[in-house]
């Protein structure tokens, strides 16, 4: 065999270890990775979109979940990475917050760099009983217009508020999943 | 997937979750906290319903579980309270129709 280049094996090993460490950190693993098959397999296994900072159909999407340690009877704020399109006035923010089933969305315009009152229609199962509440600033799941008296008053593009209350508690131990999509009107 | 824990100003755990915000934690820490949160929620319900006594709860959790049950009872008591006319109150006191 003829050699076309002489390299420092210690440097090469250090470089490969650096790449492997980066792959392990991103993939959330501590396993030893063989080169090249282990590297390529680990990279392929890395989930995309962790944390929900990506797009769907070209529009910005944010998603996440939260589980309350104790019952919550007041407004609860959820943060997300700031949307880039906050200066667009023709985007609609749709939001869901869901425990076990997906429910309708309440949509309103996204205006002047602020999120307008939006969703949150949510439901949750509690000890086998289903409780469903709609908070509207637009249309509910039946297509009827509703008042927005219970709508979120959060007006930022990096957080929204879940209007828990004494009559609509956030339940300890329940995991609430949420998705926000900035869609063009 | 990013996991986080959210604490209040007093350092008390408010929630855990996935996504943005809070203090980042590992998946293992998240799962440990999730298990504990749900175990405590079950104990609160059981103690509230009289299915268990405080003695059957781990010692380090007893104070918290009892507090949460007391808070739930207090909250329900407030929800049931309602103003009634003076005449009605007098009638009740004097043993009249409730």
């Amino acid at each position: 065999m003829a050699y076309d280049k002489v390299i420092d094996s210690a440097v090469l090993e250090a470089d490969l270890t650096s790449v492997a460490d980066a792959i392990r950190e991103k993939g959330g693993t501590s396993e030893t990775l063989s080169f090249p098959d282990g590297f390529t397999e680990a990279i392929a296994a890395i989930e995309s979109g962790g944390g929900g900072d990506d797009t769907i159909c070209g529009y910005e999407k944010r998603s996440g979940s939260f589980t309350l340690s104790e019952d919550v009877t007041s407004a609860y704020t959820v943060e997300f990475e700031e949307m880039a399109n906050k200066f667009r006035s023709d985007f609609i923010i749709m939001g869901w917050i869901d425990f076990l089933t997906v429910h309708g969305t309440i949509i309103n315009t996204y205006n002047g760099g602020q999120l307008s009152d939006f969703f949150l229609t949510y439901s949750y199962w509690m000890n086998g009983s289903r409780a469903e509440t709609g908070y509207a600033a637009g249309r509910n799941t039946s297509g009827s217009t509703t008042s927005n008296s219970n709508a979120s008053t959060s007006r930022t593009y990096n957080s929204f508020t879940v209007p828990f209350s004494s009559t609509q508690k956030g339940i300890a131990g329940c995991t609430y999943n949420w998705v926000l999509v900035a869609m063009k009107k | 997937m990013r996991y986080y824990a959210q604490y209040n100003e007093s350092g008390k755990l408010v929630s855990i979750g996935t996504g943005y915000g809070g203090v980042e934690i590992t998946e293992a820490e998240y799962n440990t906290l999730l298990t504990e949160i749900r175990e405590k929620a079950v104990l609160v319900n059981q103690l509230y319903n009289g299915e268990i006594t405080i003695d059957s709860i781990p010692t380090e959790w007893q104070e918290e579980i009892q507090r949460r049950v007391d808070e739930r009872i207090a909250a329900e008591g407030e929800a049931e309270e309602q103003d009634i006319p003076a005449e009605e109150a007098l009638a009740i006191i004097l043993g009249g129709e409730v």
Side-chain angles (χ1 to χ4, degrees):
Chain A
M1 177 187 294
Y3 297 100
D4 61 346
K5 184 179 292 184
V6 177
I7 60 174
D8 186 325
S9 62
V11 173
L12 176 61
E13 183 173 344
D15 290 344
L16 288 174
T17 300
S18 176
V19 175
D21 287 342
I23 295 173
R24 279 189 285 263
E25 180 178 355
K26 192 68 175 177
T29 179
S30 58
E31 296 181 7
T32 301
L33 303 176
S34 62
F35 180 81
D37 293 340
F39 280 36
T40 56
E41 290 173 2
I43 291 171
I46 294 174
E47 291 182 6
S48 64
D53 300 335
D54 52 7
T55 62
I56 181 170
C57 299
Y59 302 121
E60 286 187 285
K61 176 176 77 72
R62 300 286 184 269
S63 63
S65 70
F66 62 91
T67 304
L68 301 169
S69 63
E70 297 189 20
D71 290 353
V72 172
T73 57
S74 60
Y76 177 83
T77 299
V78 178
E79 296 180 345
F80 54 85
E81 189 162 344
E82 191 169 285
M83 290 195 177
N85 292 300
K86 55 182 179 280
F87 298 110
R88 297 288 295 271
S89 61
D90 59 350
F91 271 69
I92 294 172
I93 305 297
M94 305 164 59
W96 295 264
I97 184 166
D98 160 69
F99 178 35
L100 285 179
T101 58
V102 175
H103 285 268
T105 62
I106 307 302
I107 304 170
N108 207 331
T109 56
Y110 173 80
N111 185 34
Q114 292 180 325
L115 293 178
S116 66
D117 295 341
F118 69 93
F119 147 23
L120 303 169
T121 297
Y122 65 89
S123 72
Y124 52 86
W125 291 89
M126 180 172 60
N127 297 327
S129 300
R130 178 177 178 179
E132 183 174 16
T133 303
Y135 293 84
R139 302 185 191 281
N140 61 15
T141 55
S142 302
S144 303
T145 56
T146 61
S147 66
N148 66 347
S149 60
N150 291 322
S152 167
T153 58
S154 173
R155 288 179 173 265
T156 70
Y157 13 77
N158 60 3
S159 69
F160 65 87
T161 302
V162 183
F164 292 132
S165 67
S166 57
T167 55
Q168 299 293 342
K169 289 191 299 184
I171 305 299
C174 290
T175 297
Y176 296 85
N177 299 294
W178 59 269
V179 177
L180 288 176
V181 178
M183 295 184 66
K184 191 168 186 178
K185 188 176 179 182
Chain B
M1 180 76 70
R2 179 183 184 272
Y3 301 89
Y4 69 83
Q6 189 79 42
Y7 299 91
N8 65 11
E9 301 78 13
S10 304
K12 178 183 172 184
L13 181 66
V14 173
S15 63
I16 59 173
T18 60
Y20 192 77
V23 176
E24 186 170 4
I25 57 177
T26 66
E27 182 179 3
E29 291 170 329
Y30 172 86
N31 289 328
T32 298
L33 288 171
L34 182 63
T35 299
E36 180 176 322
I37 286 171
R38 288 180 170 171
E39 285 180 357
K40 287 181 176 178
V42 170
L43 290 173
V44 168
N45 288 333
Q46 289 179 332
L47 186 62
Y48 173 81
N49 293 327
E51 298 169 16
I52 61 173
T53 64
I54 194 70
D55 294 331
S56 56
I57 295 173
T59 305
E60 63 272 23
W61 289 0
Q62 288 182 359
E63 182 178 345
E64 176 185 343
I65 302 302
Q66 185 65 66
R67 173 184 60 77
R68 289 169 61 176
V69 170
D70 292 344
E71 288 175 352
R72 179 184 293 187
I73 294 172
E76 292 174 350
E78 289 175 6
E80 291 176 354
E81 288 179 354
Q82 53 183 328
D83 292 333
I84 58 175
E87 295 80 7
E88 183 177 349
L90 181 61
I92 294 173
I93 292 171
L94 296 177
E97 184 177 342
V98 177

